[in-house]
Amino acid sequence: QVQLVESGGGSVQAGGSLRLSCAASGYTISSSWLGWFRQAPGKEREGVAFMYNGGNGTYYVDSVKGRFRISEDNAKNTAYLQMNSLKPEDTAMYYCAAGRKYEGSWRNPDEYKYWGQGTQVTVSS
């Protein structure tokens, strides 16, 4: 049984940093695409950072480029999202997703089979 467990969320002031973790069991995170998505109240879930090709490739949505960094520790089978220079608009529930179906765009949340329960990030101004 595949399980993804996120942790590391919290409340910070604007300009602060957080590091989210996504610990996987029953699945090797480096075997396929892994994405970090976020969803704010009343908004659609959006992908913010993706990792592929065993961690050799990364993609970031424009709004987080230069501030967020996705990485993985294969020995721990854990992915991370380092978030720096946080802004109030980064406030959302953050999810990691894995197990790409290869049925559509890698940006599409429906493309991923496995999801964590989410971790809340709140950034105050």
Side-chain angles (χ1 to χ4, degrees):
Q1 183 179 357
V2 175
Q3 201 170 18
L4 303 178
V5 179
E6 299 102 334
S7 61
S11 297
V12 296
Q13 290 192 325
S17 298
L18 285 171
R19 188 177 80 154
L20 307 184
S21 299
C22 172
S25 58
Y27 179 84
T28 302
I29 60 170
S30 61
S31 64
S32 183
W33 287 68
L34 183 139
W36 282 96
F37 290 78
R38 66 185 180 188
Q39 188 166 21
K43 294 189 175 182
E44 291 187 352
R45 191 169 295 191
E46 70 162 340
V48 297
F50 297 85
M51 187 165 54
Y52 58 97
N53 193 21
N56 292 318
T58 57
Y59 171 84
Y60 301 91
V61 68
D62 285 347
S63 60
V64 308
K65 274 182 185 175
R67 300 189 298 122
F68 289 14
R69 180 175 178 270
I70 189 171
S71 64
E72 65 182 12
D73 184 331
N74 291 332
K76 296 181 179 180
N77 204 28
T78 298
Y80 302 96
L81 185 67
Q82 178 67 44
M83 305 186 297
N84 300 323
S85 303
L86 283 162
K87 304 176 181 180
E89 51 265 42
D90 294 319
T91 295
M93 185 72 80
Y94 283 72
Y95 302 87
C96 65
R100 188 180 168 197
K101 300 175 188 177
Y102 292 93
E103 296 174 351
S105 170
W106 48 268
R107 293 184 179 89
N108 188 342
D110 293 337
E111 181 68 355
Y112 296 85
K113 291 185 286 187
Y114 310 120
W115 290 83
Q117 82 288 353
T119 186
Q120 177 68 37
V121 171
T122 303
V123 184
S124 58
S125 57

